[in-house]
Amino acid sequence: GQQVMQIPQYQHVQEGEDFTTYCNSSTTLSNIQWYKQRPGGHPVFLIQLVKSGEVKKQKRLTFQFGEAKKNSSLHITATQTTDVGTYFCAGPRGGRTNKLIFGTGTLLAVQP
Amino acid sequence: DAGITQSPRHKVTETGTPVTLRCHQTENHRYMYWYRQDPGHGLRLIHYSYGVKDTDKGEVSDGYSVSRSKTEDFLLTLESATSSQTSVYFCATNPPSGDTQYFGPGTRLTVL
């Protein structure tokens, strides 16, 4: 069945270092979304990418959607302790909107 | 976050007992979802609803049932709780436009 995998599962960085998580789908996606979940919290929507090759930035966060629309990445420049949490990508499940399949998530730990 | 509340927030129960989790939203969103979150598995869809009395199964629906008698409430019932259902349960909603999802605070359920 449809799968969305993320690597790495866990990343520990020193504050100020960069961080990247990769999201790979077994199927082509019409769009991809990214969510952040702080420890003990709930997932919060960050951004949605729709176009092939699209790149969007939010301050120190850069999101990219692959040309084949099967992969995506999130890059954080100069991590801060406030970046700690699990980052999930998500895409339409079975090609249908209003149903999402979530990636396995990447847990980011930032050491001050 | 879209005025979503979940109750209870924490529950400990024994194997074999029925358990009902409640999700309440104040945004009049049509779509509602129940997910479970387990380490290494990300967020997995249990059931979802696309309107009052309209529900459907997700990828991990065995052992769970749902009901939606009002737009604002979506109930998840574990008919006979098992230890494998120990998890964090999140409710989410989806506004009419797009497929971005907004999550409730979660319910931590422990089945002994």
Side-chain angles (χ1 to χ4, degrees):
Chain A
Q2 185 183 12
Q3 289 186 323
V4 179
M5 304 297 291
Q6 284 182 250
I7 54 171
Q9 279 193 315
Y10 172 78
Q11 182 89 56
H12 179 253
V13 300
Q14 294 286 127
E15 190 172 22
E17 291 181 338
D18 291 357
F19 160 78
T20 303
T21 175
Y22 299 92
C23 173
N24 295 288
S25 171
S26 60
T27 60
T28 300
L29 301 171
S30 59
N31 69 78
I32 195 146
Q33 303 177 29
W34 284 91
Y35 292 76
K36 177 183 178 180
Q37 182 178 21
R38 295 182 185 277
H42 58 277
V44 175
F45 172 77
L46 293 176
I47 206 164
Q48 178 173 279
L49 305 171
V50 178
K51 299 177 183 177
S52 170
E54 187 171 12
V55 178
K56 286 188 176 180
K57 292 189 176 184
Q58 288 182 347
K59 297 182 180 178
R60 295 177 295 102
L61 278 62
T62 301
F63 303 85
Q64 186 167 8
F65 199 10
E67 294 289 341
K69 302 185 79 172
K70 293 182 70 175
N71 56 71
S72 181
S73 64
L74 159 58
H75 179 82
I76 301 178
T77 303
T79 55
Q80 300 176 357
T81 55
T82 53
D83 296 325
V84 164
T86 301
Y87 293 86
F88 292 99
C89 61
R93 181 185 295 271
R96 294 181 55 183
T97 57
N98 302 113
K99 281 177 64 178
L100 296 178
I101 180 168
F102 282 82
T104 45
T106 295
L107 173 60
L108 172 63
V110 180
Q111 184 167 353
Chain B
D1 289 295
I4 304 170
T5 57
Q6 292 184 231
S7 59
R9 294 293 313 280
H10 302 271
K11 185 169 183 67
V12 179
T13 191
E14 294 188 349
T15 297
T17 60
V19 176
T20 296
L21 308 183
R22 179 180 183 240
C23 176
H24 179 79
Q25 56 125 340
T26 60
E27 300 295 318
N28 203 36
H29 289 171
R30 176 183 172 191
Y31 292 89
M32 298 185 74
Y33 312 83
W34 276 108
Y35 293 91
R36 59 177 290 174
Q37 183 174 36
D38 305 288
H41 290 279
L43 291 153
R44 293 183 291 175
L45 182 65
I46 305 172
H47 281 281
Y48 65 102
S49 169
Y50 38 95
V52 173
K53 296 185 179 179
D54 283 329
T55 64
D56 206 348
K57 296 179 179 180
E59 61 182 309
V60 289
S61 60
D62 288 348
Y64 302 95
S65 63
V66 290
S67 65
R68 192 166 178 202
S69 58
K70 298 185 291 185
T71 298
E72 57 267 35
D73 290 325
F74 193 29
L75 304 181
L76 176 70
T77 297
L78 288 65
E79 307 289 349
S80 176
T82 67
S83 59
S84 64
Q85 293 176 310
T86 292
S87 186
V88 179
Y89 291 85
F90 286 102
C91 172
T93 70
N94 182 190
S97 59
D99 47 12
T100 300
Q101 294 188 6
Y102 297 93
F103 286 80
T107 294
R108 182 172 295 277
L109 175 67
T110 302
V111 184
L112 301 176

